[in-house]
Amino acid sequence: MTVKRVALLTAGGYAPCLSSAVGGLIERYDELVPDVEIIAYKHGYWGLLSGEKIVVDDEVRAKAGVLHNYGGSPIGNSRVKLTNTADLVKRGLIQEGQNALEVAADQLKADGVDVLHTIGGDDTNTTAADLAKYLQDNDYDLHVVGLPKTIDNDIVPIRQSLGAMSAAEQSSVFAQNILAEHGSNPRMLIVHEVMGRACGYLTAQAAEYYQKWHAQQEWLPSIGHRADRWDIHAVFLPELALDIDAEAERLKKVMDETGCVNIFLSEGAGIPEIVAEMQARGEEPEKDTFGHVKIDTINPGQWFAKQFAAKLGAEKVMVQKSGYFSRSAKANSEDLRLIKSMTDLAVQVSLEGSSGVIGHDEGNDGRLRAIEFERIAGHKPFDIDQPWFADVMERTGQEIVPAATN
């Protein structure tokens, strides 16, 4: 396939891979087909619908490696679903009666794009799938090659999404400072709220990273600088059953012995209980463009803190969220290696005239390949049966009991 013009877009929430993935794609195209033109749509599908784009010039091509040193996305993100017509009309991105897929396709045609690279999570890539199908059904020869981005690592059937390892590492770094607050008051309760709508991967992985850091430290217990006060005492995930009374009884003993309790909470862990409580009061939670409950409007960390504070006899409660700190970080060395392998294959797939989402396919022995769009889905649950997670829970003193819905 002859590729003359390539377009890039990043979409959805941030993850510590977007800037690097953009840089990696530019570098690889410049190595293999230096004459290809590269553009980027600003703020993802928002820019595609509005025609707002950036031309990747010679300076950026020559220095694209600089982007590996930064978090965020140089070309900008937004949350736009091309099949949510009402929302798009409300936001002024299309007019009443227009088909967003047609508007996007016409923009791609007008811009002479041969390959579109989408860098995002399941919502971004399922939206890309809708667009790819529309293009195919309307005989427009354009290929869409996606890269999997999500700090939750919850894309089916992809083994490891870009940015998730880096976000977990940064959540651990965040906790290494925040948990120092355990001594700021007698009987201190700290809830470290970690992003994770329906998947506990990020919280679990962050807890493992933190425990590894904790195990390498030196302590001076005679002055009160004790390992148990810096430890994680509970990890709560959406995939685990939640028995607040039983956990409160266990953690009350921890509070009595150590003078503090430190909790790692996946923000999605208490969502069903919180929503049920709201609905019992006649309230309905706000939802985003994709129909997801807006977690930041219901404050799971505060809800958990309220449930435990009185039961533990906490004198002071602190809830701290690491989400934006972790998701806006730059990619770590592990993710950089993963990004390199995926961007290289993405360019190869595009030059071969194929489409799909690049990833290690759990349905094909973990092979790195272009996965068919129709197989891409979100909300893959975290596998709580992995041995490393059993070690995490053993160190907190918890049992692994699956949630009834999993």
Side-chain angles (χ1 to χ4, degrees), residues 269-296:
I271 296 301
E273 289 81 3
I274 298 171
V275 170
E277 192 176 280
M278 292 178 66
Q279 291 173 335
R281 297 195 302 265
E283 303 173 13
E284 283 295 330
E286 292 184 49
K287 295 185 178 180
D288 65 17
T289 300
F290 294 88
H292 305 316
V293 171
K294 288 187 174 180
I295 292 178
D296 58 346

Side-chain angles (χ1 to χ4, degrees), residues 310-360:
K311 296 177 186 293
L312 303 185
E315 289 195 18
K316 184 178 179 181
V317 179
M318 175 182 286
V319 179
Q320 292 291 312
K321 302 180 181 183
S322 61
Y324 292 108
F325 177 86
S326 61
R327 79 175 199 169
S328 297
K330 67 179 182 179
N332 66 12
S333 58
E334 291 178 286
D335 262 318
L336 287 173
R337 287 192 291 271
L338 189 61
I339 291 165
K340 173 64 174 171
S341 64
M342 287 194 182
T343 53
D344 281 2
L345 181 58
V347 172
Q348 177 184 327
V349 167
S350 75
L351 296 177
E352 292 172 351
S354 299
S355 294
V357 180
I358 304 301
H360 293 88

Side-chain angles (χ1 to χ4, degrees), residues 61-207:
R61 287 173 178 267
K63 299 180 180 180
V66 168
L67 296 175
H68 297 305
N69 300 324
Y70 291 89
S73 171
I75 58 180
N77 281 33
S78 66
R79 292 188 182 276
V80 173
K81 188 174 179 66
L82 297 184
T83 54
N84 189 338
T85 302
D87 177 69
L88 297 176
V89 171
K90 180 181 178 181
R91 295 166 69 175
L93 291 173
I94 62 171
Q95 301 299 313
E96 194 74 52
Q98 284 187 309
N99 178 346
L101 292 171
E102 182 179 4
V103 172
D106 287 345
Q107 186 64 54
L108 290 164
K109 291 179 185 179
D111 290 334
V113 174
D114 300 305
V115 176
L116 174 65
H117 286 290
T118 57
I119 309 169
D122 60 285
D123 287 331
T124 298
N125 284 305
T126 52
T127 296
D130 293 332
L131 180 57
K133 185 177 186 305
Y134 181 87
L135 294 166
Q136 183 179 21
D137 292 346
N138 288 274
D139 300 319
Y140 181 46
D141 187 22
L142 179 144
H143 297 274
V144 183
V145 182
L147 290 169
K149 172 274 320 174
T150 168
I151 59 175
D152 296 330
N153 195 32
D154 65 344
I155 303 176
V156 177
I158 294 171
R159 185 178 68 199
Q160 187 70 41
S161 60
L162 300 176
M165 290 181 290
S166 302
E169 181 181 72
Q170 290 300 310
S171 295
S172 168
V173 171
F174 181 91
Q176 290 163 30
N177 286 358
I178 293 303
L179 265 57
E181 289 282 340
H182 72 265
S184 64
N185 202 81
R187 300 189 72 82
M188 185 76 173
L189 170 61
I190 300 177
V191 178
H192 172 205
E193 183 179 330
V194 184
M195 282 185 169
R197 176 185 301 281
C199 176
Y201 164 84
L202 183 61
T203 305
Q205 187 69 80

Side-chain angles (χ1 to χ4, degrees), residues 229-250:
R229 291 176 179 169
W230 284 81
D231 217 340
I232 302 171
H233 304 121
V235 174
F236 298 129
L237 311 180
E239 294 84 358
L240 296 174
L242 176 61
D243 187 335
I244 288 179
D245 289 335
E247 275 298 286
E249 182 178 352
R250 182 183 71 84

